[in-house]
């Protein structure tokens, strides 16, 4: 039986309300109801009974609550003990660009402090990261978003992450002192996959301003996009961190373009009231 069910049971018993427990845990009320029903099926007893509009524990529920509190306390103690010893696992869900260009140095720093800590870094799609953080598969998620997409999770803005319009130094746009949106008419784009949030943002702006554009290549990897830019004629939109080294070496040019609706923030997401190990707390401090 998943320990999460016992945590949910404890919250319902404390608040004497499925609705309040759901709000406290960040779950849908139907999820809380389902978990309690599974506990009742597993033990073959009713755990709660209603008196008018109020909810209270049955005698079986009272007995299970005593045991559940002990179980959860031992589980908490075991996690803290492993954390202090530097063990355990930290699972991070993030997107490709952050996994490749932002997180490696931070992860190595954390590994030096916790040499026996297992760190699992999972590059994933934005929607999948949000869902897996909510379900508890990921301890933490790191995204590039303009605004929170799921209010049931805790969102913390780490910093604004610049987006750059990139081209090879030989591209005709590279010689221009400034570029207006209208000057991007009919240019050839090398774009990320259709589900990428900053591609969605870019295409929305182009379409709203009736700027015709052509996608010459669609690639899912920032490295592949950069290499195509250096050898081809297209332009691309990528986070600055993904192309900073190539810009410094003169292999790519950051075009003099900006638009108020094309911007992203580095966002950290977690489940509300999530238990945090020392290693997770230290990792969050490194992010800031």
């Amino acid at each position: 039986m998943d320990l999460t069910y016992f945590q949910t049971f404890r919250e319902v018993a404390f608040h004497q309300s499925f609705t309040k427990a759901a709000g406290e845990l960040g779950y849908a009320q139907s999820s809380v109801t389902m978990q309690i029903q599974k506990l009742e099926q597993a033990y073959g007893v009713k755990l709660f009974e209603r008196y008018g509009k109020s909810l209270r524990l049955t005698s079986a529920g009272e007995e299970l609550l005593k045991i559940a509190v002990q179980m959860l306390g031992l589980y908490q103690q075991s996690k803290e003990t492993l954390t202090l010893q530097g063990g355990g696992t930290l699972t991070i869900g993030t997107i490709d660009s952050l996994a490749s260009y932002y997180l490696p140095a931070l992860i190595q720093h954390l590994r030096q402090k916790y040499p026996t800590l297992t760190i699992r870094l999972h590059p994933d799609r934005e929607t999948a990261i949000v869902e897996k953080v909510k379900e508890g598969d990921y301890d933490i998620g790191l995204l590039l978003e303009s605004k929170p997409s799921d209010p049931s999770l805790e969102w913390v803005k780490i910093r604004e992450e610049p987006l750059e319009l990139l081209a090879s130094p030989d591209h005709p746009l590279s010689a221009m002192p400034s570029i207006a949106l209208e000057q991007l008419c009919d240019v050839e784009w090398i774009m990320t996959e259709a589900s990428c949030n900053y591609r969605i943002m870019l295409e929305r702006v182009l379409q709203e301003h009736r700027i015709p554009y052509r996608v010459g290549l669609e690639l899912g990897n920032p490295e592949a996009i950069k290499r195509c830019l250096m050898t081809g004629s297209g332009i691309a939109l990528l986070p600055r961190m993904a192309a900073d080294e190539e810009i410094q070496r003169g292999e790519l040019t950051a075009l003099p373009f900006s638009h108020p609706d094309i911007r992203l923030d580095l966002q950290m997401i977690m489940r509300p009231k999530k238990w945090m190990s020392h290693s997770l707390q230290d990792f969050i401090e490194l992010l800031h």
Side-chain angles (χ1 to χ4, degrees):
M1 181 65 66
D2 193 332
L3 274 176
T4 301
Y5 292 176
F6 293 100
Q7 293 171 330
T8 300
F9 168 62
R10 182 180 61 183
E11 289 298 318
V12 174
F14 177 77
H15 291 286
Q16 297 183 333
S17 167
F18 282 67
T19 303
K20 290 180 180 178
E24 190 72 14
L25 294 165
Y27 295 157
Q29 185 172 333
S30 58
S31 178
V32 170
T33 301
M34 178 272 294
Q35 291 182 38
I36 298 302
Q37 288 174 344
K38 287 194 173 182
L39 277 176
E40 291 178 332
Q41 291 168 8
Y43 287 104
V45 296
K46 291 292 289 183
L47 298 175
F48 295 96
E49 54 189 355
R50 290 194 174 277
Y51 282 82
K53 295 183 178 180
S54 63
L55 185 74
R56 70 182 188 184
L57 288 165
T58 63
S59 58
E62 290 175 351
E63 290 302 315
L64 182 59
L65 180 61
K66 296 174 186 177
I67 299 169
V69 169
Q70 294 177 26
M71 290 170 56
L72 294 170
L74 286 171
Y75 177 59
Q76 178 82 356
Q77 182 181 342
S78 69
K79 291 178 74 173
E80 291 176 352
T81 300
L82 287 174
T83 299
L84 290 172
Q85 292 175 350
T89 301
L90 175 61
T91 306
I92 305 165
T94 190
I95 58 175
D96 279 327
S97 55
L98 293 174
S100 299
Y101 308 109
Y102 177 66
L103 290 174
L106 300 183
I107 287 174
Q108 290 302 330
H109 184 89
L110 191 67
R111 289 184 71 246
Q112 290 175 5
K113 185 171 183 180
Y114 300 95
T116 61
L117 174 69
T118 299
I119 301 175
R120 295 173 180 163
L121 184 62
H122 292 275
D124 214 333
R125 294 176 292 106
E126 286 88 348
T127 53
I129 293 167
V130 170
E131 190 62 28
K132 289 177 182 178
V133 169
K134 187 187 297 186
E135 293 175 354
D137 294 334
Y138 296 158
D139 293 306
I140 189 173
L142 290 167
L143 299 171
L144 293 176
E145 291 279 1
S146 57
K147 58 183 179 180
S149 59
D150 190 325
S152 70
L153 295 173
E154 180 181 347
W155 294 72
V156 178
K157 176 182 173 181
I158 304 299
R159 71 182 194 197
E160 182 176 348
E161 180 56 40
L163 290 170
E164 296 285 4
L165 201 58
L166 301 167
S168 74
D170 298 328
H171 194 284
L173 291 176
S174 296
M176 300 183 68
S178 64
I179 297 173
L181 193 61
E182 293 74 19
Q183 292 170 298
L184 299 179
C185 287
D186 296 317
V187 299
E188 177 186 331
W189 289 86
I190 300 175
M191 288 200 176
T192 53
E193 67 274 15
S195 62
C196 175
N197 58 349
Y198 47 87
R199 172 177 174 172
I200 293 170
M201 183 185 302
L202 170 65
E203 290 190 303
R204 183 186 300 121
V205 169
L206 293 174
Q207 291 164 6
E208 286 177 351
H209 291 82
R210 302 182 185 277
I211 306 295
Y213 63 96
R214 181 170 65 88
V215 180
L217 281 173
E218 182 178 296
L219 301 167
N221 185 285
E223 287 297 316
I225 291 173
K226 290 186 294 183
R227 291 188 179 278
C228 288
L229 286 175
M230 288 187 274
T231 59
S233 58
I235 65 173
L237 184 73
L238 287 176
R240 172 81 187 201
M241 70 173 75
D244 195 51
E245 292 184 6
E246 289 80 5
I247 294 170
Q248 296 297 325
R249 293 195 297 261
E251 297 169 345
L252 289 175
T253 297
L255 301 176
F257 169 82
S258 64
H259 190 280
D261 295 328
I262 302 177
R263 59 169 302 278
L264 291 173
D265 296 322
L266 174 56
Q267 301 263 12
M268 178 188 76
I269 57 173
M270 286 194 309
R271 287 173 57 183
K273 300 186 180 299
K274 175 179 171 53
W275 179 86
M276 290 198 293
S277 65
H278 291 286
S279 57
L280 178 54
Q281 293 176 37
D282 286 347
F283 179 67
I284 291 172
E285 289 182 10
L286 288 174
L287 293 174
H288 291 83

